[in-house]
Amino acid sequence: MSSPDTYLIGIDGGGTSCRARITDRHGNIVGEAQAGSANIFQDVELAWRSVHQAVTEAFANANLPATCAQSSVLVAGLAGAEAPVAVEEFLHRASDSFADISLLSDAQIACLGAHAGQDGTIFIIGTGAIGIALDQGQWRRVGGWGFPLNDLGSGAWLGQQAVRAALDQRDGIIARSLLTDSIWKIFPAGTDELIGWSQIAGSGDYGSFAPLVLKAVAAHDNLAEALMAEQIQLLSRQIQALPAHGRGLCLMGGLAETIAPKLPRDIQIRQVPALGDALSGALYYAQTRLRR
């Protein structure tokens, strides 16, 4: 498939932004760009526009014509790629624009980047929570099925537990604490205000309460410590469900640094630093497509 004019395009797209990186067939970076949201489960049309814009601008930044895309290999890691119907629709829109196109999830390319294209495991602990492992060419996934149904142990989950605890405290089920006081400071009008907020709150809104839990843990608040202990238990069970086989584990996401030293010893000794980012993972995969 390759020729001197073949370029490799890596895409990392999520709900907030879409990044593109272009290399030549030898892996030398020639251009990069960023565009808007690219979650195909939420909006396939918007995701395609964001990918197209990012690719076009990346070629422009490389002083190359946009028509180079037609002879290029594109690997896109996009949020929402677990939904088969969305994948099919996205590939239908994009297939005529590139010589070869592959669509993975954003977590899969993060795993490939972290382990330089080799087998390994990552677990992302941020607003959501998801584990991905590549084991002898097979993908294994745990969690990440969306809040509030899943994403157990995530920042959104932790914030939700804090809000629930505040309601329990107001109902007299549990004692008042530093954590419940901090929640009610945000809802000074009381339960009516909190319940009204909950009707429109999403995962990011609940996740915004996670720092309050961490602050209360640092102050040795018993309630916050109990919530974090439950969080550690949930995350540990998910990580241990992924294949190990002596391969490395990378913890990622905004809560990873806080959570890592609290995990069981058998998990801690597996931890290794990430070797690359999600875009490098997409490009590792693109190299395998180039060699076909």
Side-chain angles (χ1 to χ4, degrees), residues 71-146:
S71 60
S72 296
V73 176
L74 180 137
V75 175
L78 302 180
E82 300 82 7
V85 173
V87 169
E88 182 179 357
E89 185 177 347
F90 181 87
L91 292 177
H92 176 73
R93 292 170 187 260
S95 60
D96 293 337
S97 300
F98 308 96
D100 185 77
I101 180 170
S102 298
L103 181 56
L104 303 176
S105 73
D106 49 350
Q108 286 176 315
I109 62 168
C111 186
L112 288 168
H115 299 288
Q118 303 302 307
D119 285 3
T121 300
I122 66 168
F123 203 96
I124 303 171
I125 314 165
T127 301
I130 182 173
I132 291 283
L134 180 60
D135 181 39
Q136 300 180 22
Q138 299 297 313
W139 289 104
R140 172 81 165 88
R141 169 185 175 164
V142 170
W145 299 111

Side-chain angles (χ1 to χ4, degrees), residues 226-249:
L227 293 181
M228 176 161 278
E230 185 178 357
Q231 179 187 33
I232 296 299
Q233 185 179 49
L234 288 169
L235 292 170
S236 298
R237 287 169 55 190
Q238 293 174 80
I239 294 170
Q240 290 164 342
L242 291 164
H245 300 161
R247 299 187 179 96
L249 164 69

